[in-house]
């Protein structure tokens, strides 16, 4: 039970830390598969783990998808390198 509380608290802290980042994607149009919080979690975790470009961030995500899903749903899996670019820099 304590582990779940720690996970919830970490997720809340992560979300709170990045809450002021505006999602510049057109989330009301088209196919919106990856919430910005999932993209940020993937990128931050990947870079901290040594990834230095979008492709290696995605590779990290694919290799660590079980761990990522313990932090956030990642319902549609890991975003592609192109989706990371759109998620971070807009359309």
């Amino acid at each position: 039970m304590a582990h779940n509380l720690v996970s919830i608290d970490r997720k809340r802290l992560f979300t709170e830390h990045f809450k002021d980042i505006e999602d510049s994607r057109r989330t009301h149009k088209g196919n919106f598969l990856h919430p910005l919080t999932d993209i940020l979690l993937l990128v931050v975790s990947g870079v901290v783990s040594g990834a230095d470009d979008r492709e290696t961030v995605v590779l990290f995500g694919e290799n660590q998808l079980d761990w990522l899903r313990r932090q956030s749903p990642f319902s549609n899996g890991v975003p592609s390198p192109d989706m990371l670019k759109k998620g971070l820099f807009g359309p």
Side-chain angles (χ1 to χ4, degrees):
M1 181 76 126
H3 176 69
N4 287 342
L5 292 175
V6 170
S7 295
I8 291 168
D9 196 41
R10 285 183 184 158
K11 184 176 181 178
R12 184 184 55 78
L13 288 172
F14 183 87
T15 303
E16 180 69 20
H17 184 76
F18 290 105
K19 73 178 181 350
D20 293 331
I21 295 178
E22 183 179 331
D23 193 342
S24 61
R25 299 173 295 166
R26 295 176 296 190
T27 57
H28 62 285
K29 286 186 167 185
N31 202 3
F32 181 64
L33 297 176
H34 304 283
L36 184 59
T37 53
D38 283 4
I39 292 171
L40 291 171
L41 177 61
L42 172 62
V43 171
V44 169
S45 301
V47 169
V48 167
S49 297
D52 59 1
D53 60 22
R54 292 189 311 264
E55 288 77 16
T56 53
V57 167
V58 170
L59 184 61
F60 165 84
E62 290 168 346
N63 288 326
Q64 298 298 322
L65 188 55
D66 288 340
W67 178 82
L68 287 167
R69 284 187 168 149
R70 288 195 299 270
Q71 317 309 316
S72 191
F74 282 84
S75 302
N76 294 302
V78 176
S80 68
D82 286 340
M83 184 54 62
L84 289 182
K85 182 178 179 182
K86 290 176 187 174
L88 296 174
F89 302 110

